């Protein structure tokens, strides 16, 4: 045949090549289209639905994890549900690195924002080896089981057999513990309740997946899945524990301490927890560690639940848009709780039942505090106090930063520049004011022997943290070379108390400000470095600032009485606060403000949000910080008003003072070498605006004090996000430019420069302008409000009665003034409120019945007060005036205990004077 067409060989070859080319082009084009569709479509098609539980490897054999995953298996995993198989920071993950871990490698279709991890290119395939549940049995409190794994992971020291314990502790609290049955591991040394019987009617159901092992927790009333750990493999190595779960929605809160919006971004957002001294910065581990989140569930039903991992080791918490979450911790055990709510406030109450309700603050803690680093002398400090008095500006507490100390040595004061400090404190006390001093944990180790009792006595008692060889670990802080007390040791608590008492005999301070207690050091680890061990260089290091566990803190291998610093680091601030709760010295409530915090912190101290900057953004983000710490059980919280570092501006300071007047803890504080920013330092107009906002706070003291009573006894929030009161209104879920005090007083501050208005969201219902009583009937909408420089917008929700007082320059004076009751009537004319009152400073007044509790009710044009608990304190309370917002028709008569009383009426409002506890409006 070739002879029949000898003249066309080249044409035939060309045709064949062209045909083959077209075929290859078609195949490539189809492959490209399919790839593009596959890369882009899944994340959009299933944004909020978990994939079905992962199946096990087909063979189930011991080498199931050795074979590379099939491309088809990798291709079915939607982007939103890719769980990172190579989470190490600072590594360019290649196909070779990924496949060495037997994971899928597919470049993502989109890139993440700077600083975010983004869609992982290396992720677990379906069937990646995990644990199997090989046995389970019922117990008196729930269930126990055995987990077994046959394939080791790519991290060393896998623990192949685990013990599972499910504890149905209450109807709304489930506890899960996964431990090593062959060897004890570190557990967080905080007291938690021990259940004695199994929940009788739990609001949750628990399903166990055998192969692979997983836990699925559902809300029984709705069937909503609250926890599903089958979505990714469980890791349990000596220094790498990983647990992933689906989330019920994108609405996640808590997970402190980080600078962010109140509502967390779940788009590939990794939050690292390891206490660190660093000014508030986005995407950075900050001063405290709180592995707890609150989740609002889908559907606008208002239901919520919470999750708490009781673990103090360094960890990453990775959020992804599945929505899903991954916990990666490098030590301890997996010990977690699920709280069923069902509303957000109930979730927080259930969480605090575990970690402890916050302490009841001493009354003056709720006044205005003034501080700065760099007063330079006690006389200069004293002058500021006198200036505040001269202008009639409220102030309860004066503070000093580290410059009051002699050469930055704890438990000293400079004999030259602060020689009059004892006299200043005496003067403060004579005016009903208080004094708070700073203490750092670092104790100077270089003073001549016999000249510095804190170090000499500390060495004698053996209170300092040591190296592994038994020598004292020496770091460097403000006084130079320093040793660090081991607050996990009760002996250290006694030594600390003795130091406090010795100094109090010289300077009778009233409260403590414990700073630098992450703990912070100016050198990494110690002055002689740290040993090259697995504790210092673990197989996996979470994304901590500095990249090393010892960065600007102590060696992870350092020895404390309870355990290594590797385990105890993030507990340091909590344990120092516990040692500093020195109420036994005076028999009164202690006042402690701590920078570093951990779950249960609220039992011992409050918190300030750290070394912020004098920026408008810092003022805005302080609201999210304040709300988050109220969720975390630390309601006594606030930011440095006007900003700590950099020079503030007058307008910013006025607006920040207005906002700060509604922080539960309010303190103006700034840095050395900055201009003064106390109220008298500004123009008459600004000074007047600041004074008015502080007087406003003082007038609301009875309300604020009662809210703290509720926090102390029931775990309620003081500063409260709107979503807590309006959980079915999804528009409130992301609001962090407004907040509530309690359930009724809404605060809408100005957070932007150069404006005389502010836009606020009003949930559906009837609201009243706090100052005028003018009503707003909202359908759930944003409204533009006038906000001249001297004004902060406050609105009362319908149905409230709030107690107020005539303000004065100290709470000691203000708290003795008669009450003015403000009632905001509902459509049906009803309202209610309460007042808790005691002497403001005695410890345990609730437990010893030394308090008064009064409830106010308005029904059918009649106000009554009922004394639920009587005490001599109640005899000091008188009601002088009352206002009623929402009275639609002018009354013809007002009676007090059946006697006619004078009153005034203007549109919508009745105001009258009274001298009793029972009011009638006809």
């Amino acid at each position: 045949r070739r002879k029949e067409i000898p003249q066309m060989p080249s044409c035939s070859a060309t045709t064949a090549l062209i045909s083959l080319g077209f075929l290859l082009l078609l195949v490539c084009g189809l492959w490209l289209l399919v790839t593009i569709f596959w890369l882009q479509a899944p994340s959009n098609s299933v944004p909020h639905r978990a994939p079905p539980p992962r199946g096990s490897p087909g063979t189930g054999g011991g080498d199931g994890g050795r074979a590379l995953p099939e491309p088809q298996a990798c291709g079915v995993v939607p982007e939103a549900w890719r769980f990172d198989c190579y989470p190490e920071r600072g590594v360019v993950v290649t196909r070779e690195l990924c496949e060495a871990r037997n994971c899928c490698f597919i470049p993502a279709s989109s890139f993440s924002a700077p600083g975010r991890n983004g869609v992982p290119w290396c992720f677990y395939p379906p069937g990646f080896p995990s644990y199997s549940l090989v046995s389970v049995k019922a117990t008196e409190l729930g269930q126990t089981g055995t987990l077994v794994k046959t394939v080791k992971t790519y991290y060393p020291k896998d623990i192949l057999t685990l013990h599972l314990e499910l504890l149905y502790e209450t109807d709304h609290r489930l506890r899960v513990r996964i431990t090593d049955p062959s060897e004890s591991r570190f557990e967080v040394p905080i007291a938690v309740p021990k259940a004695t019987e199994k929940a009788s009617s739990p609001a949750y159901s628990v399903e166990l997946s055998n192969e692979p092992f997983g836990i699925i927790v559902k809300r029984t009333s709705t069937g909503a899945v609250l926890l599903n750990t089958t979505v990714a493999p469980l890791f349990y190595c000596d220094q790498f524990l990983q647990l992933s779960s689906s989330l019920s929605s994108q609405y996640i809160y808590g997970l402190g301490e980080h600078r962010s919006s109140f509502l967390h971004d779940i788009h590939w957002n990794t939050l690292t927890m390891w206490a660190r001294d660093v000014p508030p910065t986005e995407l950075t581990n900050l001063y405290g560690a709180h592995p707890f989140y609150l989740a609002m569930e889908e559907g606008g039903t208002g239901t919520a639940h919470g999750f708490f991992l009781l673990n103090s080791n360094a960890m990453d918490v990775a959020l992804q848009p599945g929505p899903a979450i991954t916990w990666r911790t490098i030590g301890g055990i997996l010990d977690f709780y699920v709280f069923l709510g069902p509303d957000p406030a109930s979730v927080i109450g259930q969480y605090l039942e575990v970690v402890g309700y916050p302490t009841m603050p001493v009354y003056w803690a709720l006044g205005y505090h003034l501080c700065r680093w760099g007063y330079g002398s006690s006389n200069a400090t004293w002058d500021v106090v006198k200036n505040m008095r001269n202008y009639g500006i409220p102030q309860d507490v004066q503070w000093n930063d580290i410059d009051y100390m002699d050469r930055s040595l704890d438990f000293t004061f400079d004999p030259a520049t602060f020689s009059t400090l004892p006299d200043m404190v005496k003067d403060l006390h004579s005016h009903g004011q208080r004094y708070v001093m700073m203490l750092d944990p670092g104790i100077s180790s270089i003073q001549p022997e016999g000249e510095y009792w804190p170090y000499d006595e500390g060495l004698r008692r053996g209170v300092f943290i040591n190296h592994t060889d038994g020598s004292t670990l020496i770091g460097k802080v403000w006084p130079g070379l320093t040793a660090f007390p081991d607050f996990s040791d009760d002996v250290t608590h006694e030594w600390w108390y003795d130091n406090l008492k010795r100094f109090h005999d010289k300077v009778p301070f009233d409260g403590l400000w414990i700073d630098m207690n992450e703990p912070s050091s100016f050198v990494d680890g110690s002055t002689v470095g740290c040993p090259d061990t697995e504790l210092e260089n673990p197989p996996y290091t979470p994304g901590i600032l500095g990249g090393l566990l010892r960065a600007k803190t102590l060696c992870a291998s350092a020895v404390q009485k309870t355990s290594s610093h590797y385990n105890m680091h993030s507990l340091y601030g909590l344990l120092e606060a516990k040692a500093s709760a020195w109420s036994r010295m005076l028999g009164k409530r202690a006042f402690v403000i701590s920078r570093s915090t951990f779950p249960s912190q609220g039992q011992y101290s409050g918190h300030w949000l750290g070394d912020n900057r004098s920026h408008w953004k810092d003022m805005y983000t302080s609201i999210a910080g304040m709300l988050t710490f109220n969720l975390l059980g630390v309601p006594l919280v606030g930011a440095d008003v006007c900003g700590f570092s950099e020079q503030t501006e007058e307008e910013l300071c006025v607006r920040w003072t207005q906002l700060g007047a509604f922080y539960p803890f309010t303190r103006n504080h700034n840095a050395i070498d900055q201009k003064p920013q106390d109220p008298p330092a500004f123009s008459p107009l600004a000074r007047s605006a600041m004074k008015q906002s502080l007087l406003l706070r003082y007038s609301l003291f009875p309300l604020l004090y009662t809210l703290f009573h509720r926090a102390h006894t029931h775990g309620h929030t003081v500063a409260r996000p709107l979503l807590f009161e309006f959980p079915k209104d999804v528009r409130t879920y992301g609001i962090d430019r407004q907040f509530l005090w309690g359930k009724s007083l809404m605060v809408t501050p100005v957070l932007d420069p150069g404006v005389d208005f502010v836009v606020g969201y009003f949930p559906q219902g009837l609201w009243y302008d706090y100052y005028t009583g003018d009503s707003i009937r909202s359908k759930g909408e944003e409204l533009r409000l006038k906000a001249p420089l001297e004004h902060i917008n406050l609105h009362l929700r319908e149905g409230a009665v709030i107690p107020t007082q005539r303000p004065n320059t100290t709470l000691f004076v203000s708290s003795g003034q008669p009450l003015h009751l403000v009632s905001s009537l509902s459509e049906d004319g009803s309202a209610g409120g309460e007042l808790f009152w005691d002497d403001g400073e005695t410890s345990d007044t609730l437990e010893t019945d030394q308090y008064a509790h009064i409830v106010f009710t308005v029904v059918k044009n009649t106000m009554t007060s009922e004394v639920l608990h009587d005490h001599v304190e109640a005899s000091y309370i008188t009601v002088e005036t009352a206002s009623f917002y929402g009275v639609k028709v002018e009354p013809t008569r007002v009676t007090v205990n059946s006697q006619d009383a004078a009153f005034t009426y203007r549109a919508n409002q009745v105001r009258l004077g009274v001298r009793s506890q029972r009011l009638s409006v006809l």
Side-chain angles (χ1 to χ4, degrees):
R1 292 196 185 112
R2 282 177 300 188
K3 289 182 180 179
E4 293 175 359
I5 45 172
Q7 75 276 18
M8 299 183 61
S10 60
C11 181
S12 177
T14 301
T15 302
L17 288 172
I18 290 173
S19 299
L20 182 60
F22 274 119
L23 182 60
L24 288 173
L25 185 62
L26 180 62
V27 170
C28 290
L30 287 172
W31 177 84
L32 183 60
L33 287 172
V34 170
T35 300
I36 292 172
F37 176 79
W38 166 70
L39 284 170
Q40 294 183 346
S43 59
N44 295 325
S45 60
V46 255
H48 300 301
R49 186 175 304 161
R54 298 178 307 108
S56 59
T59 63
D63 62 350
R66 300 180 187 276
L68 292 177
E70 293 292 331
Q72 297 90 333
C74 296
V76 301
V77 181
E79 280 191 1
W81 290 96
R82 295 181 185 176
F83 291 88
D84 200 346
C85 179
Y86 217 111
E88 284 80 356
R89 304 290 180 96
V91 177
V92 178
V93 182
T94 64
R95 181 179 298 276
E96 290 72 25
L97 288 174
C98 180
E99 292 181 349
R101 295 185 171 187
N102 302 311
C103 288
C104 298
F105 183 83
I106 300 175
S109 61
S110 59
F111 293 92
S112 61
R116 298 300 174 96
N117 286 357
V119 181
W121 292 21
C122 182
F123 56 95
Y124 299 111
F128 189 92
S130 187
Y131 288 86
S132 300
L133 178 63
V134 298
S135 68
V136 64
K137 66 176 182 179
T139 66
E140 291 184 356
L141 295 177
Q143 295 173 282
T144 60
T146 300
L147 310 180
V148 172
K149 188 174 188 177
T150 57
V151 179
K152 291 187 176 182
T153 67
Y154 42 85
Y155 290 113
K157 299 183 181 180
D158 283 272
I159 300 171
L160 299 177
T161 301
L162 300 172
H163 177 70
L164 169 69
E165 187 176 17
L166 297 169
L167 301 170
Y168 298 68
E169 293 196 334
T170 72
D171 288 346
H172 294 89
R173 185 175 80 224
L174 171 70
R175 185 179 186 184
V176 179
R177 288 169 51 87
I178 303 176
T179 57
D180 181 353
S182 62
E183 187 174 345
S184 64
R185 295 175 59 80
F186 174 77
E187 298 188 31
V188 179
I190 65 172
V192 295
K194 303 293 183 183
T196 57
E197 60 183 20
K198 183 179 178 181
S200 58
S201 302
Y204 50 88
S205 64
V206 180
E207 301 172 13
L208 297 177
S209 170
N210 296 335
E211 182 81 18
F213 164 71
I215 303 172
I216 302 171
V217 179
K218 296 180 179 178
R219 185 181 297 280
T220 53
S221 60
T222 63
V225 176
L226 311 184
L227 186 77
N228 177 4
T229 69
T230 69
V231 296
L234 170 67
F235 279 65
Y236 209 116
C237 307
D238 183 43
Q239 291 181 274
F240 186 86
L241 292 77
Q242 179 171 281
L243 177 77
S244 298
S245 173
S246 61
L247 292 169
S248 63
S249 79
Q250 62 183 311
Y251 303 113
I252 303 298
Y253 311 85
L255 298 175
E257 182 176 10
H258 298 91
R259 172 161 151 156
S260 68
S261 55
F262 178 54
L263 171 63
H264 283 297
D265 180 2
I266 65 164
H267 192 79
W268 308 110
N269 184 14
T270 298
L271 303 170
T272 301
M273 297 186 189
W274 180 251
R276 173 63 195 254
D277 171 8
V278 59
T281 307
E282 284 82 355
L283 303 172
T284 303
N285 53 301
L286 301 183
Y287 309 107
H290 293 265
F292 164 82
Y293 71 75
L294 167 75
M296 296 300 297
E297 295 164 28
E298 285 285 5
T301 60
T303 52
H305 67 273
F307 182 99
F308 171 46
L309 176 63
L310 182 53
N311 186 290
S312 61
N313 289 91
M315 71 175 75
D316 282 334
V317 185
L319 299 169
Q320 63 188 75
I325 189 170
T326 296
W327 302 84
R328 298 187 197 100
T329 182
I330 61 173
I333 65 171
L334 293 179
D335 183 358
F336 58 87
Y337 294 82
V338 182
F339 307 102
L340 272 288
D343 59 274
S346 298
V347 171
I348 301 307
Q350 292 154 14
Y351 170 58
L352 297 185
E353 286 175 359
V354 171
V355 301
Y357 290 154
T359 187
M360 183 69 185
V362 63
Y363 78 95
W364 51 261
L366 307 184
Y368 182 61
H369 301 243
L370 194 54
C371 183
R372 76 159 299 157
W373 178 22
Y375 282 124
S377 70
S378 50
N379 286 339
T381 309
W382 203 345
D383 286 343
V384 171
V385 175
K386 293 174 182 177
N387 225 8
M388 292 284 286
R389 292 175 191 160
N390 290 339
Y391 284 109
I393 301 173
Q395 182 193 3
D396 265 79
V397 194
Q398 181 60 51
W399 298 41
N400 275 123
D401 206 311
I402 197 170
D403 48 315
Y404 81 91
M405 298 180 188
D406 180 14
R407 294 164 291 153
S408 300
L409 301 176
D410 276 355
F411 309 111
T412 69
F413 64 93
D414 191 309
T417 56
F418 278 81
S419 60
T420 59
L421 182 60
D423 296 327
M424 185 193 78
V425 174
K426 182 179 179 180
D427 176 69
L428 287 169
H429 291 168
S430 70
H431 286 81
Q433 295 173 301
R434 298 295 184 268
Y435 179 69
V436 170
M437 66 177 190
M438 166 188 276
L439 282 178
D440 291 341
I443 301 296
S444 175
S445 61
I446 55 175
Q447 304 309 307
E449 186 175 354
E451 294 188 12
Y452 188 46
W453 193 88
Y455 182 71
D456 294 340
E457 185 66 11
L459 274 184
R460 190 184 72 79
R461 299 192 199 183
V463 306
F464 297 119
I465 295 175
N466 292 328
H467 283 293
T468 53
D469 64 3
S471 62
T472 301
L473 184 148
I474 302 298
K476 187 177 182 181
V477 203
W478 295 110
L481 301 183
T482 53
F484 294 84
D486 176 9
F487 289 108
S488 74
D489 190 343
D490 289 341
V491 173
T492 307
H493 287 219
E494 288 302 313
W495 164 84
W496 190 250
Y497 175 82
D498 290 344
N499 278 286
L500 291 172
K501 191 173 188 308
R502 286 166 59 92
F503 190 70
H504 190 270
D505 290 342
K506 301 174 184 176
V507 180
F509 59 88
D510 301 285
L512 295 176
W513 170 20
I514 50 177
D515 193 13
M516 304 286 287
N517 56 349
E518 292 71 32
S520 176
S521 179
F522 298 161
V523 298
D524 292 348
S526 80
T527 55
V528 296
C530 304
D532 185 10
T533 66
E534 292 177 339
L535 294 182
E536 299 295 341
N537 303 293
Y540 176 80
T541 300
I544 60 179
L545 181 64
L548 299 170
L549 297 179
R550 60 185 175 273
K552 296 300 179 283
T553 187
L554 313 186
C555 295
S557 58
V559 178
Q560 299 185 230
K561 180 176 181 180
T562 301
S563 186
S564 65
H565 196 69
Y566 181 91
N567 294 320
M568 299 293 294
H569 171 81
S570 289
L571 290 161
Y572 197 90
L574 168 66
L575 296 177
E576 187 191 11
K578 189 174 182 180
S580 301
W582 49 284
S583 55
R584 62 176 167 142
M585 187 183 300
L586 300 175
K588 299 178 180 179
R589 300 171 204 167
F591 174 79
V592 182
I593 293 292
S594 176
R595 189 167 74 178
S596 187
T597 60
F598 191 80
S600 78
Q601 190 84 30
Q603 292 187 77
Y604 310 105
S605 83
H607 172 61
W608 98 101
L609 297 173
D611 296 339
N612 60 5
R613 303 168 185 84
S614 297
H615 295 171
W616 289 89
K617 182 177 181 180
D618 287 65
M619 178 169 62
Y620 157 63
T621 58
S622 72
I623 298 177
M626 171 186 67
L627 295 178
T628 295
F629 270 91
N630 270 264
L631 267 59
L632 299 175
V634 189
L636 188 64
V637 61
D640 282 346
V641 172
C642 301
F644 172 71
S645 66
E646 304 183 29
Q647 185 59 51
T648 195
E649 303 167 357
E650 182 167 281
E651 181 190 10
L652 172 63
C653 201
V654 170
R655 293 302 193 187
W656 210 327
T657 303
Q658 291 169 346
L659 169 60
F662 291 91
Y663 291 156
F665 163 64
T666 183
R667 179 186 72 163
N668 180 319
H669 178 47
N670 69 327
I672 197 167
D673 296 330
Q674 302 297 328
K675 294 179 181 178
Q677 61 184 36
D678 51 277
F682 295 98
S683 70
L685 178 63
R687 184 169 61 242
S688 174
M690 294 179 190
K691 177 180 177 178
Q692 291 309 310
S693 62
L694 295 175
L695 287 170
L696 176 60
R697 176 189 178 88
Y698 276 48
S699 72
L700 290 164
F701 170 72
L703 169 64
L704 183 59
Y705 195 68
T706 301
L707 291 175
F708 268 99
H709 163 69
R710 281 288 169 184
H712 174 58
T713 56
H714 293 82
H716 291 183
T717 52
V718 174
R720 188 170 301 174
L722 269 65
L723 72 91
F724 271 50
E725 293 299 321
F726 303 93
K728 294 184 179 181
D729 185 349
V730 179
R731 292 189 67 179
T732 66
Y733 287 11
I735 290 178
D736 56 11
R737 299 177 69 90
Q738 296 171 270
F739 57 94
L740 297 161
W741 264 16
K743 65 179 181 180
S744 301
L745 184 64
M746 185 167 69
V747 184
T748 307
V750 171
L751 302 173
D752 300 298
V755 298
D756 60 2
F757 69 92
V758 63
V759 175
Y761 179 73
F762 285 74
Q764 183 174 1
L766 188 58
W767 296 85
Y768 296 91
D769 184 298
Y770 175 75
Y771 307 98
T772 66
D774 293 341
S775 62
I776 297 172
R777 193 179 311 278
S778 174
K779 299 178 182 178
E781 55 197 306
E782 288 187 341
L783 298 174
R784 178 171 165 144
L785 308 169
K786 294 180 180 179
L789 185 63
E790 69 278 5
H791 184 74
I792 181 170
N793 276 276
L794 301 179
H795 289 84
L796 273 177
R797 182 184 178 189
E798 62 179 307
V801 177
I802 65 168
T804 71
Q805 282 179 315
R806 187 187 311 130
N808 210 291
T809 54
T810 67
L811 288 177
F812 178 78
V813 177
S814 292
S815 60
Q817 301 304 305
L819 295 181
H820 173 65
L821 303 178
V822 181
S823 301
S824 53
L825 304 182
S826 298
E827 287 288 355
D828 62 2
S830 63
E834 64 177 338
L835 173 69
F836 175 84
W837 210 247
D838 59 14
D839 70 4
E841 55 186 5
T842 300
S843 300
D844 304 324
T845 57
L846 195 68
E847 293 77 3
T848 56
D849 289 333
Q850 300 178 64
Y851 69 94
H853 188 195
I854 303 168
V855 171
F856 304 101
T857 306
V858 180
V859 178
K860 296 181 179 179
N861 291 339
T862 300
M863 168 177 268
T864 58
S865 61
E866 179 182 3
V867 180
L868 296 185
H869 192 279
D870 200 4
H871 186 257
V872 64
E873 289 295 330
S875 65
Y876 306 137
I877 303 171
T878 60
V879 179
E880 184 177 58
T881 56
S883 294
F884 300 87
Y885 296 163
V887 180
K888 301 173 184 176
V889 179
E890 182 174 0
T892 56
R893 250 180 102 202
V894 174
T895 65
V896 177
N897 285 343
S898 303
Q899 300 295 316
D900 284 346
F903 69 93
T904 60
Y905 179 84
R906 75 170 192 82
N908 208 40
Q909 179 186 162
V910 168
R911 183 182 177 94
L912 68 157
V914 302
R915 298 189 182 280
S916 70
Q917 294 181 340
R918 187 176 186 279
L919 307 176
S920 297
V921 181
L922 302 179

